[in-house]
Amino acid sequence: MREVRNQARLNATGPQRLLATRKLLLELLGNVQRISSQAHQSETMLNEVCKDIRGLDHAKRHLSHEITVLKKLQALSTGVDQLKKHVAKRHYGMIANILEEVLMLGTEFQRYKTNLKVQTLTSAVQVISGDLKTQVHEEFRNYMPAGGTGSVMAGAELRDVCMVVHALGQDFFQEFTEWFVEQRLREYQIKFARESRGPRLALRGGDDKTGLDRADLRYDWILAELAVYDDAFRNVFPREWRMDERLVDEFCVQTRLALSGELEDTKARLDVVGLLKAISRTAEFEKEMSRRFPMENPQETEGGEEEEEQEEQETQTTPGETETYTVEEIKRKWQQKEAEIQARKEQKEQERQRTEPPRSKWRGIIGSCFDPYMDVYVAQEDSNMKEIYRNVTAESGDKKWSTEDEGGNNVLAGSAELIIYFNKAIKRCSKLTINEPLNDVHLLCKKYFTMYAKFLGSKVPESAPGTSGPTFGTNIFTNIMGAQTTQPPSPSMTATPAPVAPSALALDEHTLCLIINTTEYCASMSDSLARFLQEIIAQKFKENIDLTPEKAEFQNVLAKVVNALAAHVVSKLEPAFNTMVDVAQSSLEVVGDQSKYVLTIKSILTETAGQYLKWLTQPRYRYFCDVLVGVLIPRLYSTVLRARRYTETTSQQVLLDMMALKEALVRLPAETNERKAKAFGKLVTREMDRVEGVLKTLASPLESIVPTYVALVPNGSEADFSRLLDMKGVRYPDSSDLVDRYLATTNKKRAELSVAAGVAEGVAAVSSLFSNLTLPGNLVSAPFSTIRARLPGTRPTN
């Protein structure tokens, strides 16, 4: 009730309090309007007071500007008067100082062109500038450092003239340098001038000093002119003008055009000796100019300075660091910074070494005119290479098919001679030019590399029909040298071949080993020559340098020779293979020690390995062992299948022999590297597993022959299995039942493998589906039933 009474009391006084609040708001609004009116009146009064002050400020600013303009006009007028006085007296030192200021003041009065005074002064400056240009030309024209008549001016005064040239602006500086170079080369133009006489160009006055064979006189002239320049003008012109370089640059342009004309005139009767003499002298001159005018790289210098400043800033410690860190932390931080700076220096040094240094602009500045006419030089190189190649591949004597030093590099002497000439030809041509002629020499190297590779490959003995390897005999050396031989074909696998005398094959195998080493040597040298050419040839021809096809050609020849040697070794084992067949078909009752044919095979392999290991490099010998395994083991497999009948005892005996041969083959490379030895052992084991699988199948009883064959020969076929049954002496219908069991087993195994492959494929597809599926956060750890219910197209499960 108390609250009700209070609320009734407040409702009675509410209208009165509302009226009081409204009255207070009206009073506040009136006060605000009054203050705003007073502020506006104050602003109006302030503007009236400052109006006159702003007018005075504008007047002062304009008056100061006018006074400055009048002072500059006075300075310009005074400068023009002083210039007239000093120009009349040829005081070039004073002229240079005043002229630069006068020209600068003249640019500021461009906006006052309509003013009569300004027009007068501008015209006067232009007249003075024209007079000064005339005087500059006159002073340098009359400068006679070697004596003579005319006014001779001291070098110090001419330096003041150069200051005047600089003050006259960049346009006149360019005009003056061109004029000076033209004046100095006028004698050269007269002395070596040419006049057009009909279709040919004749020499003025019949003088022969401009002929191609006398091109060295041109370079002698410019060198003499440079000597005069050093005596007379080196201390006259500022160094940054590089006036002597401009002089030589223009000389090179004119000389290149003149020599081009000479080459065009005489291209039909161009002499190689005279051409090479002119090119050689030109190259010497270009090298001399490169030494006199070395290239400057200001960007590299500026970059190095910026890097040093950055390193200094990085190594400086801020004042607060000594207070924030302990001594050990500061020491560790300094060591870390020093390591970073050192690593950055090493990285930049490596980049600097990888970056190709800029070529001198003098390289080829004149010599490039010879490039279109270097075909006669390239033809001469072609002729020389052809002669070298003919000597290398000639059949006269044994020198080209043996090494020069038996204890040195086991390569054919002719290959070294050919590659040495290639290297000399490239270096000789690079001294003359690095453009298209050098690329042509590269093409010549490719040509004779390919010819030499094909020559070596053509001398490798080919396999005769019906044999497992090439035809080797007492006339193999004559065959390699290119003579025709009439070798009878090798005997068949079933016949017993005639024994081959080891002494008759020793030289031939040695020669083939030399061919292997030679092809490896040529392949590696092709890479070296290609890298050398890439470094020296012009940039636009770098992409043309490619000796990869020639390297591949040598590698193909190497593989061909290694295959031939491996087949030859296998051919020497034919008697042992025939004995192996006899053992397999014998009526052996007890398994004994390894058979005699195994000892024969081991002896031949050991003797051959010892010889080849001396003649071949270690990588190539290991390659030969790999190829021999690839040829010998299939030959053993085919020999095992040659026997018509096997008993359990003979199968076990041959299996024992194969294990002994496998051990001998594993030791064949004499590899000292354990990892490589294990790799070769795995290769031999993998290849011999098939042979041993067949023999173990033949030695197994009939009850287990099917699972044994399936387990040991997983890639076998129905025909191979039937062949084994015939060799084991299984008759029909037993053989038919075993074949049916074999087919049923293999079909079941294939079905199991197919099901396993299908399951694996399905698992992979499901994994791929869920790997690409993005689940909401609340389903990441939810059970599969919950996830399945959220997937589209699924029905909830009970």
Side-chain angles (χ1 to χ4, degrees):
M1 292 298 291
R2 185 181 304 170
E3 294 296 333
V4 173
R5 292 191 193 97
N6 291 336
Q7 184 64 35
R9 190 181 302 111
L10 290 174
N11 290 337
T13 60
Q16 297 176 359
R17 295 169 61 187
L18 180 61
L19 291 175
T21 303
R22 183 178 299 175
K23 182 178 180 182
L24 291 175
L25 289 176
L26 290 174
E27 291 178 359
L28 179 61
L29 180 60
N31 292 333
V32 170
Q33 291 177 352
R34 186 173 60 257
I35 293 172
S36 176
S37 176
Q38 292 175 357
H40 182 69
Q41 293 175 1
S42 300
E43 183 180 0
T44 304
M45 186 183 300
L46 183 62
N47 288 333
E48 291 293 334
V49 172
C50 296
K51 182 178 180 180
D52 296 335
I53 297 176
R54 283 198 296 268
L56 292 174
D57 287 341
H58 286 301
K60 179 182 177 182
R61 189 180 305 115
H62 289 298
L63 182 60
S64 299
H65 177 70
E66 295 299 330
I67 292 173
T68 302
V69 171
L70 288 175
K71 287 183 178 180
K72 290 182 179 181
L73 184 62
Q74 181 63 32
L76 178 61
S77 178
T78 304
V80 171
D81 294 338
Q82 291 178 353
L83 278 178
K84 292 179 179 179
K85 184 191 305 181
H86 292 304
V87 167
K89 297 180 180 180
R90 297 180 182 263
H91 294 165
Y92 294 109
M94 299 298 297
I95 292 174
N97 296 329
I98 299 173
L99 180 61
E100 191 170 0
E101 297 179 2
V102 168
L103 292 176
M104 187 182 302
L105 290 172
T107 57
E108 296 185 8
F109 284 96
Q110 291 296 323
R111 69 181 73 177
Y112 305 107
K113 293 181 183 180
T114 56
N115 187 277
L116 183 60
K117 179 66 174 179
V118 172
Q119 291 179 358
T120 303
L121 292 176
T122 303
S123 301
V125 170
Q126 293 176 354
V127 172
I128 293 172
S129 298
D131 294 341
L132 284 174
K133 293 176 182 179
T134 304
Q135 288 185 10
V136 167
H137 288 148
E138 182 181 350
E139 298 294 352
F140 274 94
R141 191 180 295 110
N142 295 333
Y143 181 49
M144 303 254 181
T149 59
S151 60
V152 180
M153 178 177 286
E157 295 182 5
L158 273 182
R159 285 196 292 272
D160 294 338
V161 177
C162 293
M163 294 174 60
V164 173
V165 173
H166 178 75
L168 286 171
Q170 184 64 29
D171 293 340
F172 180 69
F173 169 76
Q174 187 67 28
E175 175 190 343
F176 171 76
T177 54
E178 294 175 358
W179 172 84
F180 177 80
V181 169
E182 181 182 357
Q183 291 295 316
R184 301 308 301 177
L185 291 179
R186 180 168 297 176
E187 179 185 354
Y188 171 75
Q189 295 170 352
I190 295 174
K191 186 174 183 179
F192 295 93
R194 298 163 57 86
E195 291 180 350
S196 177
R197 294 182 180 178
R200 289 183 46 80
L201 292 174
L203 304 180
R204 177 174 294 177
D207 191 5
D208 194 31
K209 290 185 178 181
T210 54
L212 187 62
D213 56 341
R214 307 290 299 279
D216 54 342
L217 294 180
R218 297 176 179 270
Y219 306 123
D220 293 340
W221 183 92
I222 190 60
L223 292 177
E225 177 63 25
L226 287 176
V228 173
Y229 177 90
D230 291 340
D231 292 339
F233 295 102
R234 178 170 292 276
N235 295 326
V236 171
F237 294 114
R239 182 182 178 184
E240 59 271 14
W241 285 16
R242 304 178 73 91
M243 191 65 78
D244 52 346
E245 184 175 347
R246 296 172 185 270
L247 177 63
V248 177
D249 202 352
E250 181 61 26
F251 165 82
C252 292
V253 172
Q254 296 185 13
T255 303
R256 182 175 66 246
L257 294 175
L259 292 179
S260 297
E262 294 291 343
L263 290 167
E264 185 65 25
D265 290 348
T266 59
K267 64 179 180 180
R269 47 187 175 84
L270 201 58
D271 179 31
V272 178
V273 177
L275 176 65
L276 293 182
K277 180 181 177 182
I279 296 175
S280 177
R281 183 66 184 91
T282 302
E284 291 177 3
F285 172 75
E286 291 173 350
K287 287 183 179 179
E288 190 172 352
M289 293 302 101
S290 298
R291 290 191 295 268
R292 181 183 175 99
F293 308 111
M295 293 188 64
E296 295 182 357
N297 193 358
Q299 295 180 353
E300 182 177 352
T301 305
E302 294 173 1
E305 293 177 355
E306 292 177 357
E307 292 171 6
E308 292 177 0
E309 292 177 0
Q310 181 181 359
E311 292 171 2
E312 291 178 359
Q313 293 175 0
E314 291 179 353
T315 55
Q316 291 176 358
T317 307
T318 59
E321 288 180 344
T322 55
E323 301 173 359
T324 305
Y325 300 100
T326 63
V327 176
E328 292 297 329
E329 291 175 342
I330 293 175
K331 182 178 179 181
R332 187 164 51 252
K333 185 176 180 181
W334 272 96
Q335 291 176 350
Q336 183 180 359
K337 283 187 176 181
E338 290 177 356
E340 292 176 356
I341 292 173
Q342 183 64 26
R344 191 183 301 115
K345 287 182 178 179
E346 293 177 357
Q347 180 181 0
K348 291 190 178 298
E349 181 63 25
Q350 293 176 359
E351 292 177 356
R352 198 172 288 119
Q353 291 177 358
R354 288 195 301 266
T355 304
E356 182 181 1
R359 297 187 183 275
S360 172
K361 74 169 187 176
W362 304 104
R363 180 69 185 269
I365 190 171
I366 299 177
S368 59
C369 69
F370 295 102
D371 292 346
Y373 306 93
M374 287 283 283
D375 51 349
V376 292
Y377 169 76
V378 176
Q380 184 65 40
E381 286 289 3
D382 189 10
S383 176
N384 295 340
M385 289 185 185
K386 184 183 296 183
E387 185 65 24
I388 295 291
Y389 175 77
R390 187 181 295 113
N391 294 335
V392 166
T393 58
E395 63 273 2
S396 58
D398 301 347
K399 181 179 179 181
K400 302 303 178 185
W401 296 99
S402 61
T403 57
E404 296 179 356
D405 183 5
E406 292 295 333
N409 190 16
N410 287 328
V411 298
L412 297 175
S415 64
E417 182 178 349
L418 188 64
I419 291 175
I420 287 174
Y421 186 82
F422 287 167
N423 194 25
K424 289 182 178 178
I426 292 172
K427 290 182 177 179
R428 183 165 52 243
C429 185
S430 65
K431 293 179 180 178
L432 304 177
T433 178
I434 57 172
N435 294 314
E436 188 173 359
L438 184 58
N439 184 57
D440 293 339
V441 173
H442 150 252
L443 296 178
L444 290 180
C445 294
K446 287 172 66 71
K447 169 185 173 182
Y448 288 100
F449 254 142
T450 303
M451 291 174 60
Y452 189 61
K454 291 182 178 179
F455 168 76
L456 294 178
S458 66
K459 303 308 175 184
V460 179
E462 299 290 345
S463 298
T467 64
S468 60
T471 302
F472 284 82
T474 56
N475 293 329
I476 182 66
F477 183 76
T478 309
N479 186 23
I480 290 179
M481 294 307 297
Q484 297 293 330
T485 61
T486 57
Q487 280 291 97
S490 294
S492 64
M493 292 190 301
T494 57
T496 302
V500 181
S503 59
L505 292 176
L507 179 61
D508 307 324
E509 292 176 278
H510 183 209
T511 304
L512 291 178
C513 289
L514 288 179
I515 293 178
I516 292 175
N517 293 336
T518 300
T519 54
E520 180 186 16
Y521 167 70
C522 292
S524 62
M525 290 306 298
S526 66
D527 287 338
S528 301
L529 288 176
R531 285 194 299 269
F532 179 57
L533 281 166
Q534 285 278 359
E535 293 174 358
I536 62 177
I537 202 167
Q539 183 66 35
K540 62 180 179 180
F541 296 103
K542 286 185 183 295
E543 60 182 12
N544 298 339
I545 304 302
D546 183 19
L547 292 175
T548 305
E550 290 68 31
K551 179 181 178 180
E553 186 73 27
F554 281 111
Q555 291 174 342
N556 292 337
V557 174
L558 187 149
K560 182 180 179 182
V561 180
V562 171
N563 290 332
L565 281 178
H568 168 58
V569 173
V570 173
S571 69
K572 292 196 292 186
L573 302 178
E574 280 295 330
F577 294 152
N578 294 329
T579 305
M580 175 180 170
V581 175
D582 295 339
V583 171
Q585 298 178 150
S586 65
S587 57
L588 193 66
E589 297 180 356
V590 180
V591 178
D593 199 358
Q594 52 185 291
S595 304
K596 292 183 179 180
Y597 74 87
V598 176
L599 299 177
T600 302
I601 293 176
K602 285 184 178 180
S603 175
I604 294 175
L605 291 179
T606 303
E607 180 183 358
T608 303
Q611 290 177 341
Y612 291 1
L613 189 58
K614 291 189 301 183
W615 295 336
L616 296 174
T617 62
Q618 181 61 34
R620 297 285 72 79
Y621 175 71
R622 169 59 194 278
Y623 176 51
F624 164 76
C625 293
D626 292 342
V627 175
L628 179 62
V629 168
V631 175
L632 176 58
I633 295 180
R635 189 70 181 87
L636 290 174
Y637 180 78
S638 64
T639 304
V640 168
L641 298 181
R642 279 172 55 190
R644 298 180 180 178
R645 289 289 183 272
Y646 276 90
T647 65
E648 184 175 347
T649 305
T650 57
S651 300
Q652 294 176 357
Q653 180 63 51
V654 176
L655 178 60
L656 178 65
D657 295 339
M658 292 299 102
M659 291 181 177
L661 283 177
K662 182 172 72 173
E663 293 179 0
L665 288 174
V666 169
R667 295 192 298 269
L668 191 62
E671 188 66 65
T672 58
N673 188 301
E674 184 178 356
R675 183 179 61 83
K676 294 181 179 180
K678 288 182 178 180
F680 185 77
K682 290 180 180 179
L683 171 65
V684 174
T685 302
R686 185 175 67 250
E687 296 295 329
M688 287 294 291
D689 283 345
R690 188 181 183 191
V691 180
E692 293 178 355
V694 170
L695 292 172
K696 290 178 181 178
T697 302
L698 291 172
S700 63
L702 287 179
E703 295 78 12
S704 60
I705 191 171
V706 172
T708 302
Y709 184 74
V710 172
L712 298 179
V713 190
N715 297 326
S717 63
E718 180 184 354
D720 293 341
F721 185 68
S722 299
R723 170 65 177 152
L724 290 182
L725 294 178
D726 292 340
M727 294 166 62
K728 196 172 177 61
V730 181
R731 303 289 183 179
Y732 184 83
D734 295 336
S735 62
S736 178
D737 294 339
L738 291 173
V739 170
D740 292 340
R741 286 173 53 193
Y742 170 73
L743 291 176
T745 303
T746 53
N747 290 335
K748 180 180 179 181
K749 190 173 182 180
R750 290 194 192 96
E752 292 175 354
L753 293 175
S754 177
V755 171
V759 171
E761 183 178 354
V763 170
V766 172
S767 301
S768 175
L769 173 64
F770 278 93
S771 64
N772 297 326
L773 181 63
T774 303
L775 297 178
N778 58 349
L779 294 181
V780 172
S781 59
F784 180 75
S785 59
T786 305
I787 298 175
R788 183 179 182 277
R790 297 291 185 90
L791 293 176
T794 59
R795 292 178 297 177
T797 58
N798 296 327

